[in-house]
Amino acid sequence: MSFRANGYLCIERITTDEEVAWLKGIYDQLFAERAGEKEGLYYDLAAPRAHKGRELLPQVLGPDFRFPELRESQYYRNALKLGTRLLGVDEKVTAGGHMIFKPARYGAETPWHQDEAYWNPDVHLQSLSVWMPLDAATVESGCMQFIPGSHEEEVRWHRHIDNNPLIHGLVTDDVDPAAAVACPLPPGGATFHHSRTLHYTAPNTTANPRRAYILVCSGPTRQRAEPAHRPWQADEREALAKANIDVEVF
């Protein structure tokens, strides 16, 4: 399968079982601590910011801020090496991480979207995401699903989940799910996808949690002559300001 042609790649192994076990310990500690919540680095992707209900899709941004040793992991090194090759750039490529948790039995879906819809509209990006499950990822627990070739198109129109700009999660309705390809993986496997590749993960209906550790590999950016038109980002900033919540949108 060609990353260049399809916009994604799936591999069965990117690190060892021993490292997966070590990463699970760090992962669980970060979510138990709600690490970085005061700084806006911990929140529920599928529910309004600062809500008090059951968490549906919590996320930790920048786990390596709390545990810098993550940058020395085999996963980090292999993701950066393979990501650099897939991006096809000679310049320095950097990696930044986040972790997403789908609780057992009720973890929410991650709706169809393109990652670039979240990101800085002032620049042209050279980025891809590496997604590694720490638990077996099946269709029922929320493995990655992709629309092949969608990375060749522009960023589509997105809106916030439930049309609520206080929910950070985005969704695009401009997608045909019948074209999706699911990529179930064992713990320690990985998918790579372009920043414009349409992707989705289903709700976790299994009796086990679905823990995923994502790294975004980015090459040099180029300034746009004019910012890309992404009004959903402005909507979120305005809603956060009205709610007196001080966080960055991208």
Side-chain angles (χ1 to χ4, degrees):
M1 181 183 295
S2 166
F3 178 84
R4 188 178 300 274
N6 292 287
Y8 70 94
L9 180 69
C10 181
I11 63 175
E12 287 293 305
R13 177 65 60 176
I14 195 170
T15 191
T16 64
D17 291 339
E18 291 76 17
E19 184 164 274
V20 168
W22 174 69
L23 290 170
K24 282 181 179 179
I26 290 176
Y27 188 107
D28 291 345
Q29 184 175 342
L30 287 165
F31 280 88
E33 292 177 356
R34 305 172 69 91
E37 186 170 21
K38 291 182 179 178
E39 296 78 27
L41 300 177
Y42 178 99
Y43 56 87
D44 193 339
L45 270 168
R49 296 271 191 163
H51 78 102
K52 302 300 183 184
R54 182 171 69 172
E55 290 183 316
L56 303 176
L57 196 65
Q59 171 177 247
V60 170
L61 300 177
D64 51 308
F65 299 156
R66 175 74 172 77
F67 290 99
E69 57 266 39
L70 289 171
R71 299 174 202 143
E72 303 303 321
S73 67
Q74 186 171 332
Y75 169 51
Y76 191 100
R77 294 196 306 270
N78 285 340
L80 197 56
K81 183 185 301 182
L82 291 168
T84 299
R85 188 178 304 171
L86 292 172
L87 285 171
V89 298
D90 297 325
E91 298 94 336
K92 182 177 175 61
V93 172
T94 60
H98 61 285
M99 296 172 167
I100 299 177
F101 180 62
K102 282 188 191 283
R105 297 188 175 88
Y106 67 87
E109 70 172 356
T110 306
W112 285 106
H113 69 282
Q114 296 161 296
D115 289 341
E116 196 172 322
Y118 286 102
W119 296 347
N120 190 342
D122 296 330
V123 297
H124 292 283
L125 299 165
Q126 296 186 85
S127 299
L128 60 77
S129 294
V130 189
W131 188 93
M132 181 180 71
L134 302 181
D135 308 285
T138 63
V139 172
E140 294 76 19
S141 70
C143 70
M144 292 290 281
Q145 302 187 40
F146 302 103
I147 303 295
S150 55
H151 66 301
E152 299 284 4
E153 303 169 13
E154 294 297 318
V155 173
R156 304 186 185 194
W157 184 268
H158 285 66
R159 59 183 175 84
H160 292 275
I161 295 171
D162 294 339
N163 296 310
N164 183 348
L166 283 177
I167 301 177
H168 186 61
L170 295 175
V171 55
T172 181
D173 302 306
D174 184 17
V175 61
D176 177 12
V181 176
C183 296
L185 281 173
T191 61
F192 295 73
H193 68 269
H194 188 276
S195 61
R196 291 189 178 180
T197 303
L198 285 160
H199 57 286
Y200 166 88
T201 67
N204 183 7
T205 58
T206 73
N208 300 307
R210 196 231 62 190
R211 291 167 284 193
Y213 182 9
I214 302 97
L215 290 171
V216 178
C217 298
S218 300
T221 61
R222 291 186 295 109
Q223 196 73 18
R224 291 178 180 269
E226 294 183 3
H229 183 58
R230 295 175 192 161
W232 51 87
Q233 293 184 355
D235 292 344
E236 183 174 359
R237 284 192 292 269
E238 182 179 351
L240 290 169
K242 286 182 179 178
N244 198 29
I245 299 173
D246 183 22
V247 299
E248 284 290 332
V249 174
F250 58 80

